[in-house]
Structure formats: structure tokens, C-alpha cells
Amino acid sequence: MTTQNVPQKVSLLERIQSASGGREILDPATGEVVGRAPEATEKDLDAAVARAKAAQPGWAARSDDDRAGLLNAAAEAIEAHAEELAVLLSREQGKPLNGPNARFEVGACVAWLRATASFPMDPEVIVDDESGRAELHHRPLGVIGAIGPWNWPMMISIWQIAPSLRMGNTVVIKPSGYTPLSVLGLVDVLNTVLDADVLIAVPGRGDIGDRLTRHPDIAKIMFTGSTPTGKKIIAAASETVKRLTMELGGNDAGIVLDDADPAAIAEDLFWGAFINTGQTCAAMKRLYVPDALYDQVCQALVEVAQQMPMGVGLEEANVLGPVQNRAQWEIVDRLVTAAKESGARILLGGDPDPQVVAGRGGHFYPTTLVADIDPDNPLVVEEQFGPVLPIIRYTDLDQAITDANSLEVGLGSSVWSSDLGRARAVAAQLEAGTTWINKHGAVDPRVPFGGAKESGFGLEFGTHGLREVSQPHVISW
Ligand code: NDP
């Protein structure tokens, strides 16, 4: 469990690395031990929920300004520990310090806390006329259960924690069993400024997540992870009619239009797909390119990709890292192998080191670009969640839009064009929670974010996100 105050004499990293007991957590780049994570029992979970429940009325009784002030203080506390947190994140998750990776993620935690503290949240007057008045207020829900993944463990935790606390809820958070130390470190830092027991981390695996989901004293689950686990949570939550925000898997399509400038868009296309070494829910995972530009886009992407060093996260030059865990590496390898066997053309990569293939060394998979691949190839229709991008050739834009919409998921999508009007017309036809134009995956704390279809439901960020962690309450006379 977490402590309320980080001892200042021992650095966060030293303390986490010297913890005894629990489960060894290995660096995915080197196989070295990063630290040990405690494993909560069901009793620990029940005790944590009871403490969070007892703390909630006092936290809700604070003024909104007070709570917003504490979110800002939490942002300052993270800034004071930023480099330590980034190093811990890099070692545990694998992502490099530089590029849109570990330092960027810690910076995003600060930005999201500050932004979440700043959104106006006044009661809304819905009706005010001769017939009477109706006001919509937003009350706290109670204790929020937060369950997170291993790809952006700190940032996604903040996405769950910050709005929940701002609205007067307390939070019990279960980090991914792959990346618990990052979240424990983050929670420790937040707890240097927060009231006791308003935020409690319960490290454990899926069984602890399942118990949290069924717990009668948890009012809502905020979940980010895979669609299959999301479906289990939806079923389990029905027992107690829990509120849910579900941010589930995606398989985002990008569509290049025939008026785009390949050289101008290549770097943004690359990072749209390869941010966090491709392990991002709203990363571009399949790219549709018209015949007329196909060779140019492929060539421009290869040139950009060749300039992006991959390696151990603590080495400052690297901007791409390993796949976080072996199970995910196997998914990536299976899908690339299937693509190769189907006759698709490998433009770059696709040839993992035999040592890694044999299960030795870090879980690196080379940056891989795959061309001339069928629209229904498994690498296109399944989420690869790794450093691989299939580039699908199209001749008919309507067919590309149909293919982009053909899957059961719809988190993000993007359109790439020099003509904003055309891009907007295509964007309007895409089935997704967000469609970006000439960028991909650019989340913003002010802009609502959520999925369509099996990518989930409920909005995060901005005032929409605050409303989702509150109980609407109409007062009418
Ligand atoms: P999961 O959905 O399995 O895990 C996400 C979180 O849910 C983890 O904390 C996990 O715990 C927990 N969990 C597992 N089972 C349950 C349960 N029955 N009830 C409550 N919580 C549970 O994702 P994985 O990490 O296994 O990744 C699998 C796939 O999901 C990836 O291949 C990728 O496609 C996708 N993914 C999508 C993400 C996104 O941001 N949308 C993020 C990560 C993955 P624990 O792992 O500790 O057992």
C-alpha cells in the first residue's frame, strides 16, 4: 500500500527499488529487476475501499476551490519529482525518456491536473420561465474505482484520478500488473499534498480488478484497457448498477486523400502510428493511401522511420523502446508473420533479432512498415499495439471509408489532405469518437475524448469528463 508522505531523504526511486516482498518487476528493455510490487489481497482491497469511503464526505465537504487548489498543488509536487518519475516510468514501461515518451508523459500528468482544476463547473439553469425553474447540479458519486493499462500508466491514472477528485469523489486505483511501480510512485507523490485516504493504490492483478468492479461501495468504474476485459467489467458492474466509463481498444484508421503532400505529412503520420512505440489506444494502426500517392507516402514513411532510434529508454538518443511485455510482443510477431506469409511487402523491419525471438533479451520489435497488404489481412483488422504499420492501397475513396468503418471498434481516426473542406467531408463519414485532420492521437485536456462502438463509452476530459464522475441532481420548483 502507499504511504501518505514520501520521506524526503530517500529518493522515490531508491525507495521503490529497495522495497522487499511482493513480485519482481522487470525492465522490458534489459530484463533487469526494476523493483518489487506489493500484491494486495482481497482483504487489503476491502480495507482500502472502506478507508476511501470514510474519507469521501470530508473531501466532498471541502469547497470546489479547495479541491482545485489541491490538484494544482499535486501538479507542483509532480514537477518537483518529474525526473525521478520519468526514470521509473522509463525503466518499468520501457518507453524512452525522450521523444513523446516518459518525460512527455510526466509533463502530461502535470498539464492534465492543472487543466482539470480550471474547468468551470457551475450548476446549469435548464428552465427559468413563468412555468418554473429547473437547475442541474453535479454531486459526487462516492468512491471511484480506477483500473488502468500498462501503456501510459501514469497519464491514464491522472485522467481517472483528477476529474474524480475535483468532483468530490475519492479514488481506489488498481494499476496494471505490468506497470504497478509507476502508478505507486505517482500516487505517493500525489499523496504528499492530498488529504489522507482520498487516493489509495491497490496493486494486484485482474482478480483484484474484478473484486473492485463488484464491490458494493464502489460507485463507478473508470476503465482503460482491452475490449474483452471491458466486456467482463460491464457484466460484473451490472450486479450493483455501477456507473462506467469504458476506454477500450481501438484499431484507428488514417486515410490519406489524393491531394495530400507526402513529404509534409510523413513525420506526423509516423508519430501518429508509432507514438509510445505503437502501444497507444488512439494510435493510427492502419493507413489507407490512394494509388496516386502510394509509393511516395511509403517512401517518405521509410525515410522518417529510419531516422528514429530504438533502444534502452535511459539512453538519451532513443525515441522508440521495447514492447512492454512478452505477451504483447507475441501478438505483434504473430500478426507480422501472418502478413509476410500472405505475400505482403515488408518495407522496413519485420525481422526481430533471433535472440529476442527465442525469448532472450529485451522485448524489442523493429520498426516495421508493411505495404501491399489486403484490407482483410489480420494485421489490418486486429489491433497490433506495437511498432508496426500496415499501409493499404486504395483506388476508390468510398471503399476506403467503408473499410475504415468495417470494424467493431472506433476510437480515433484521421484524414490527411491539403484541402480542409474535403477532409472535413470525409471526417464526417468516419465512425469514431474522434477524427483528427492532418494529425492523429493529439489528445487535449479541454477536448472530450471517448470511443464509438466497441471502443467504449463515456467521455473523458473537459467539463464533459467532470460530469461523468458526478451524480446529476435536478432541483426544480
Ligand atoms: P487488459 O484489458 O487485460 O488489462 C487492463 C487492466 O484490467 C489491467 O489493470 C488488468 O489487470 C485489469 N483486469 C484484467 N482482468 C480484469 C477483470 N476481470 N476485471 C477487472 N480488471 C481486470 O489489457 P492487457 O494489459 O492485457 O492488454 C491486452 C490488449 O488490450 C492489448 O493487446 C491491447 O490490444 C489492448 N490494450 C488497450 C489499451 C488502451 O489504452 N485502450 C491499453 C492496454 C492494452 P492485470 O493486467 O494486472 O491482470
Side-chain angles (χ1 to χ4, degrees):
M1 296 295 136
T2 59
T3 53
Q4 286 304 318
N5 289 296
V6 179
Q8 295 306 307
K9 281 188 213 127
V10 182
S11 80
L12 175 73
L13 213 57
E14 285 167 335
R15 198 171 48 74
I16 284 190
Q17 286 175 330
S18 63
S20 57
R23 197 164 46 88
E24 263 183 1
I25 302 294
L26 305 182
D27 182 331
T30 62
E32 290 166 10
V33 177
V34 181
R36 305 187 70 90
E39 291 278 292
T41 61
E42 292 189 348
K43 232 170 117 187
D44 293 331
L45 174 69
D46 291 347
V49 174
R51 280 163 51 207
K53 186 181 178 191
Q56 194 270 328
W59 178 248
R62 275 184 176 266
S63 70
D64 186 45
D65 279 354
D66 263 9
R67 289 194 300 268
L70 285 165
L71 293 190
N72 282 320
E76 272 173 44
I78 293 176
E79 277 179 326
H81 289 277
E83 189 62 10
E84 276 184 286
L85 288 170
V87 169
L88 175 61
L89 178 61
S90 176
R91 293 211 59 209
E92 180 180 58
Q93 205 285 335
K95 62 181 71 189
L97 286 173
N98 289 321
N101 292 299
R103 288 181 179 130
F104 169 88
E105 181 167 349
V106 173
C109 292
V110 172
W112 250 269
L113 278 164
R114 293 209 169 114
T116 307
S118 73
F119 303 130
M121 212 36 218
D122 299 320
E124 293 167 49
V125 178
I126 309 292
V127 173
D128 189 17
D129 59 20
E130 62 286 351
S131 69
R133 185 174 163 99
E135 296 173 350
L136 179 61
H137 296 253
H138 291 90
R139 315 291 187 205
L141 279 166
V143 185
I144 306 291
I147 303 176
W150 45 260
N151 55 343
W152 293 88
M154 288 187 186
M155 185 175 74
I156 289 174
S157 296
I158 288 290
W159 290 359
Q160 299 171 333
I161 293 167
S164 300
L165 292 182
R166 167 77 194 277
M167 294 309 290
N169 307 287
T170 54
V171 179
V172 174
I173 185 163
K174 189 211 88 68
S176 164
Y178 290 113
T179 51
L181 303 180
S182 306
V183 178
L184 291 176
L186 177 74
V187 167
D188 269 3
V189 170
L190 298 175
N191 275 332
T192 59
V193 301
L194 296 174
D195 294 353
D197 291 342
V198 306
L199 172 62
I200 303 173
V202 182
R205 300 306 308 247
D207 54 330
I208 290 294
D210 181 58
R211 191 170 176 91
L212 188 63
T213 303
R214 294 173 196 276
H215 202 294
D217 288 332
I218 293 291
K220 167 160 185 152
I221 294 287
M222 294 192 77
F223 175 74
T224 296
S226 66
T227 298
T229 301
K231 288 180 180 176
K232 286 188 203 161
I233 290 176
I234 292 166
S238 72
E239 291 167 13
T240 44
V241 195
K242 279 189 187 16
R243 278 68 183 145
L244 296 169
T245 294
M246 294 273 126
E247 204 263 81
L248 307 178
N251 192 348
D252 290 10
I255 302 182
V256 176
L257 304 190
D258 58 11
D259 57 31
D261 176 349
I265 61 174
E267 190 158 345
D268 290 334
L269 280 176
F270 177 83
W271 282 118
F274 289 88
I275 183 166
N276 201 29
T277 315
Q279 300 160 103
T280 298
C281 45
M284 191 201 305
K285 295 180 179 126
R286 45 197 175 117
L287 179 62
Y288 296 83
V289 179
D291 244 338
L293 295 181
Y294 195 77
D295 292 340
Q296 291 173 66
V297 170
C298 288
Q299 181 59 28
L301 271 170
V302 168
E303 281 166 20
V304 173
Q306 281 171 331
Q307 293 162 25
M308 302 297 176
M310 177 184 283
V312 175
L314 296 188
E315 290 170 12
E316 298 276 348
N318 293 327
V319 292
L320 298 167
V323 175
Q324 203 282 329
N325 55 76
R326 183 72 192 183
Q328 190 62 44
W329 190 97
E330 303 278 358
I331 293 173
V332 172
D333 190 48
R334 171 176 64 79
L335 291 173
V336 174
T337 302
K340 282 197 274 196
E341 286 172 0
S342 75
R345 184 161 54 101
I346 302 292
L347 297 172
L348 186 71
D351 54 346
D353 181 334
Q355 289 288 322
V356 177
V357 177
R360 291 188 285 272
H363 311 133
F364 286 98
Y365 200 92
T367 305
T368 299
L369 292 166
V370 182
D372 296 335
I373 183 164
D374 292 336
D376 58 354
N377 189 281
L379 179 60
V380 177
V381 298
E382 292 180 36
E383 186 185 31
Q384 70 274 37
F385 218 69
V388 181
L389 181 66
I391 308 167
I392 306 111
R393 187 192 293 267
Y394 75 83
T395 47
D396 174 22
L397 178 57
D398 288 337
Q399 185 60 47
I401 294 169
T402 302
D403 289 347
N405 288 337
S406 65
L407 303 183
E408 287 308 314
V409 286
L411 190 54
S413 57
S414 58
V415 184
W416 303 75
S417 170
S418 302
D419 179 336
L420 183 59
R422 272 189 86 204
R424 289 185 61 173
V426 173
Q429 298 174 65
L430 293 176
E431 296 168 2
T434 304
T435 300
W436 289 279
I437 294 177
N438 293 331
K439 55 186 181 177
H440 197 115
V443 288
D444 179 320
R446 299 165 299 179
V447 180
F449 177 66
K453 302 193 276 187
E454 292 196 5
S455 287
F457 50 83
L459 289 172
E460 296 182 275
F461 315 161
T463 44
H464 290 84
L466 293 179
R467 288 190 198 119
E468 298 262 343
V469 280
S470 69
Q471 173 60 51
H473 183 192
V474 173
I475 301 201
S476 178
W477 64 88

